[in-house]
Amino acid sequence: MVYKLIHTHANQELLKSIPSIPYLDLSIVFYLFLEKNETGQMTALIHNRHLTMWNTTLEELSELAFKNTPLLFPADLKTMIQIIQDIICQKGERESAAPVIEELFGSQPPAPLYVLTNTAGINGACRSAAAQTEQPNILLVLSDDQSAFAVGCYGNGDIVTPNLDRFASEGVRFNRAYATSPQSVPSRASIMTGRSPVAVNMTRFNVTLARRFRAFPEYLREKGYYTGVAGRGYHLDGAVSGRVGRIKEVEQYYIDHGYKTFPERLDTCMIVADARKGACHGQINDQFRTFMARRDKDKPFFLQLSYSDPHHPYDAPKLHDPASLTLPEFYPDTRAVREYLAAYYDEIHRLDSDFGEVLQYLDDHGLAENTIVIFMGDNGGAQFMAKGTLYENGIKVPLLIRWPERIPAAVTDAVVSNVDLAATCLSAAGLPVPAEMEGENLLPLLTEGAEPEERYVYSVRSCHATNSLPEDTSVFDQMRCIVGERYKLIYNLLPGQPWVPVDFAKTEMFRELAQMNESGQLAPRFGKLYFSPTRPMFELYDLETDPHEQRNLADDPALRSVRDDLILKLTYKMIEDEDFATLPHPKIYERRENQQ
């Protein structure tokens, strides 16, 4: 039998006196103070040995940990003495309980006293009560430029990612998680704000998040969390320090006029200046450990830990054999292409090792059980049909979430977005979700396996790069897309411009492909994919029958109604976001078709 002492008034002096009593095992004692709130409703204040407080009504309390036992019953002084005597006996002590009672309550105990009982056993009762009252730590780990296909647990038999694979088996793996942009800045803006990057004016690089748009860790901080960011630059306060030599005047303007705000929004902001270099990437986990040492141990924590891997250029130690790789069907098969993909996998293996160190730290310090760990890619990799495009490899990213004893291991095909992370984290912390956040709370899906309603998610491609003028579509492009359960529609606002890859257009590998295309040595389908002088304004793909998006069905008469419905839904979304781009209403497109 586990007993919890209960008093009818919020007596802070009583709470302070209890830890000084040697007889009581504080690990099995929780304190519940009953009082009336301003509306006259009886409420409960629960304190555990860490002095954590949780407000709830008695009705809510009875629905939580003690569904099958009486919640409260009156206890007189004799009963209280017997209960404390039982606790003393459990500890092997035989002294009288009377002095304990007198030290707790004086010669006359307050009336009425109550005793809360639970037959689940000491350890089980403590875990149950703690789980209901203690806010979880939240660790959000972001990789940089990682497509979903580049993790072993997503069906890739070539890549070596043992830590991510094990982690996925301990939580929920999302097979259809999408980023709101195939670029770091807009995508990370959505993660932090729970809103479209267009709606918060974050569609280009070297831009700061305006103070009027709140980041969800700010809400956590207001409710007692210790918050921070660490690792690769978080991208929401202008360019990363150490890489701004060519635009230092802009950075200084941001500083002078108060545009940089995250040091004020969070408790800790740490950045590895140029984490892309192999010599610096180890500093990211150093910053993680620094944060963990610096944090207030009496508070739950939130940390966004950002890795640079697998961002291009690739410099990780070689592990994967290029000759043995299975190439996706839309990859040209040359030695240089194979070496390029193998180097990408090498980066992810290094990331996997670093992530494993973080998980081990949580285990070693007893933090794993009450820490929600979220692993997600910010956008797709610098690969074919990926980063900078709205194809699946550009915006479909790995998303793995673990919360021991709260989230059962599972795999889901639900269509979700990184815009959902803010609402989910706030809900997990017991906080309301602000009305302006558009993301969904994924907790019901995670904890109960609730079947989500049919969902459409959106993504946007806009300006890219910090130190370049808009000379081609690798730097400046405009695209929007909508993704549903089966069909995806892409809207190209610059159809007359050819595609130029982001981050690898100037590599020897791609230059060789361009030469092969010019000389007629490249297969025509690859020439059409990567070297076409124009692009279609609309692309429609059936992701069920064509997951690699090789057959554009936008002009298929049988799917005209599907296409027009998606165009209209995209139009409505652009209106809601106050998008600056031209609206793609289907009737406008139909007039264009008829004129051709």
Side-chain angles (χ1 to χ4, degrees), residues 258-273:
Y259 283 95
K260 290 181 175 289
T261 61
F262 270 76
E264 302 169 7
R265 299 177 191 246
L266 305 174
D267 293 299
T268 298
C269 285
M270 294 182 285
I271 298 174
V272 177

Side-chain angles (χ1 to χ4, degrees), residues 218-347:
E218 294 180 77
Y219 297 102
L220 295 174
R221 188 186 190 194
E222 289 173 355
K223 294 302 181 179
Y225 273 75
Y226 186 87
T227 60
V229 291
R232 179 175 171 83
Y234 49 91
H235 285 299
L236 304 182
D237 262 343
V240 179
S241 300
R243 298 179 57 207
V244 296
R246 283 171 273 182
I247 54 169
K248 60 184 180 181
E249 294 85 1
V250 173
E251 287 300 295
Q252 192 60 49
Y253 187 87
Y254 283 155
I255 294 170
D256 293 344
H257 292 81
Y259 283 95
K260 290 181 175 289
T261 61
F262 270 76
E264 302 169 7
R265 299 177 191 246
L266 305 174
D267 293 299
T268 298
C269 285
M270 294 182 285
I271 298 174
V272 177
D274 198 352
R276 293 183 305 170
K277 297 179 180 179
C280 297
H281 95 276
Q283 296 175 15
I284 295 175
N285 276 5
D286 289 341
Q287 287 190 352
F288 167 74
R289 287 183 283 268
T290 298
F291 174 88
M292 297 304 290
R294 179 185 298 174
R295 69 186 176 89
D296 185 338
K297 305 302 189 298
D298 292 327
K299 295 181 177 182
F301 69 81
F302 165 83
L303 174 65
Q304 176 181 286
L305 180 64
S306 299
Y307 287 100
S308 182
D309 288 337
H311 195 287
H312 190 269
Y314 306 146
D315 65 359
K318 297 185 183 302
L319 173 70
H320 298 83
D321 177 17
S324 66
L325 299 183
T326 301
L327 297 181
E329 68 174 75
F330 49 88
Y331 273 54
D333 193 349
T334 69
R335 186 176 72 175
V337 168
R338 286 180 169 275
E339 291 174 349
Y340 184 76
L341 181 59
Y344 182 58
Y345 287 177
D346 293 339
E347 294 269 317

